């Protein structure tokens, strides 16, 4: 299977708050919440935290691994927004797809979708 990614700024924004990561068997897309401070920072941070959480996971259950990765990203983003007033209210959506043995496991938060 080949995985590729592309992102588009859309029609309403002046900067692209999307961020993605693609590897051999999984991909992540995060879309910073438009109109909220720090959307671009939120999406980049979420990708970074999710990648680390999955990489460091000792869990054998894929669903639990992906759920924890999203929780870890959420906790870090909340902590950052509490510490830095300029980031107050920042947020992002996230979609994670993990491919193994002819199966895809999808986890998401927010209004982004996987097709």
């Amino acid at each position: 299977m080949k995985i590729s990614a592309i992102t588009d700024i859309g029609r309403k924004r002046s900067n692209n708050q999307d961020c993605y990561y693609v590897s051999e068997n999984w991909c992540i897309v995060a879309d910073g919440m438009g109109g909220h401070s720090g959307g671009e920072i939120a999406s980049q941070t979420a990708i970074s935290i999710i990648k680390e959480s999955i990489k460091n996971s000792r869990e054998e259950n894929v669903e639990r691994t992906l759920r924890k990765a999203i929780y870890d990203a959420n906790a870090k983003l909340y902590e950052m927004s509490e510490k830095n007033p300029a980031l107050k209210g920042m947020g992002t959506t996230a979609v994670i797809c993990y491919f193994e043995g002819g199966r895809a496991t999808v986890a998401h938060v927010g209004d982004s979708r996987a097709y």
Side-chain angles (χ1 to χ4, degrees):
M1 172 184 344
K2 289 186 179 184
I3 301 172
S4 61
I6 191 169
T7 184
D8 184 82
I9 193 169
R11 297 181 179 154
K12 296 183 180 182
R13 304 281 176 234
S14 60
N15 68 326
N16 193 342
Q17 297 181 345
D18 300 347
C19 190
Y20 61 85
Y21 172 79
V22 176
S23 76
E24 187 175 308
N25 62 339
W26 54 287
C27 56
I28 312 165
V29 176
D31 181 6
M33 290 168 42
H36 290 273
S37 53
E40 187 173 355
I41 293 169
S43 63
Q44 292 171 356
T45 302
I47 296 285
S48 177
I49 299 299
I50 290 168
K51 283 172 44 180
E52 277 301 305
S53 182
I54 291 171
K55 177 182 157 188
N56 295 328
S57 178
R58 304 282 184 253
E59 176 64 59
E60 292 187 22
N61 181 284
V62 174
E63 291 88 354
R64 285 194 289 264
T65 297
L66 300 183
R67 183 180 298 121
K68 182 180 182 315
I70 288 173
Y71 286 145
D72 290 349
N74 182 64
K76 179 64 176 176
L77 292 173
Y78 181 77
E79 176 188 322
M80 289 172 64
S81 73
E82 289 293 303
K83 288 182 177 178
N84 184 343
L87 300 177
K88 191 78 172 166
M90 75 173 176
T92 188
T93 67
V95 178
I96 310 168
C97 295
Y98 178 77
F99 307 98
E100 182 179 50
R103 289 184 52 162
T105 303
V106 178
H108 75 95
V109 61
D111 63 357
S112 292
R113 296 169 298 283
Y115 295 99

